[in-house]
Amino acid sequence: RFVLTTDYNGIGKIQYIIGNAGVYTLDTRYTENVEVEVVVPAEEVKLFVDKITEATAGRTNIDDLGNVQYIIIDGKCQVC
């Protein structure tokens, strides 16, 4: 589980990567920056982090909130 914090210029790139990476969005908060809370399958973490870092030239803060158990119900992610 991660929180990605970026400026408004980076959110489009992040949403594109999320949509193509099998990553689940739990919440998106729009303030002076954009925060996206996501669940990333353990086997995809390194590749996902590398893609986000490269796409946003390292301007996205990636906070690891730790491992969580989750299930997918009707295409939506539920954290257990």
Side-chain angles (χ1 to χ4, degrees):
R1 186 173 183 179
F2 295 88
V3 172
L4 312 173
T5 305
T6 190
D7 58 21
Y8 283 83
N9 294 323
I11 191 60
K13 295 173 186 174
I14 290 172
Q15 288 172 328
Y16 177 80
I17 292 168
I18 288 170
N20 291 302
V23 172
Y24 299 97
T25 301
L26 298 176
D27 191 20
T28 303
R29 295 176 290 279
Y30 294 90
T31 59
E32 58 189 66
N33 290 309
V34 182
E35 295 179 351
V36 183
E37 188 173 344
V38 295
V39 172
V40 182
E43 63 275 4
E44 299 294 326
V45 168
K46 181 171 179 1
L47 181 61
F48 178 73
V49 169
D50 289 348
K51 283 183 178 182
I52 295 293
T53 301
E54 181 180 332
T56 63
R59 292 185 309 252
T60 297
N61 187 42
I62 304 170
D63 291 319
D64 185 344
L65 301 180
N67 293 335
V68 294
Q69 300 256 338
Y70 65 95
I71 57 173
I72 307 303
I73 300 173
D74 295 329
K76 294 188 179 189
C77 182
Q78 301 282 327
V79 175
C80 301

